Amino acid sequence: MSFLSICRAVSVAGAFTAFAAVSALSVAFLQWFVPETSGKTLEEIELLFGDAGGSGGEVEVELGDGEHQVHER
């Protein structure tokens, strides 16, 4: 729906230019502000992001514990 509104406001070329600019800004943001996690262990990623969960009472979970967890209510 925004495409049609932009086309009416500027032109079809202007709409594609606007969407290309937003896409380029998204790629630049990802390149500069989102760290690469490929090939890193879970512990390295946790150190990289710090306390991203922010849940004061954190529970330490070892790798492989997901297979043994039972959800209790």
Side-chain angles (χ1 to χ4, degrees):
M1 291 181 65
S2 61
F3 178 76
L4 295 176
S5 300
I6 294 172
C7 283
R8 279 188 223 117
V10 285
S11 67
V12 174
F16 279 108
T17 302
F19 286 122
V22 169
S23 295
L25 289 173
S26 299
V27 169
F29 174 83
L30 288 173
Q31 184 68 30
W32 287 319
F33 295 110
V34 178
E36 178 62 46
T37 58
S38 177
K40 295 189 186 305
T41 65
L42 179 61
E43 288 79 14
E44 291 172 330
I45 295 171
E46 286 175 348
L47 289 174
L48 186 64
F49 286 105
D51 185 23
S55 64
E58 293 184 20
V59 176
E60 186 172 323
V61 178
E62 296 290 328
L63 290 174
D65 282 350
E67 299 169 358
H68 305 291
Q69 289 180 342
V70 177
H71 298 285
E72 297 177 16
R73 290 190 184 237

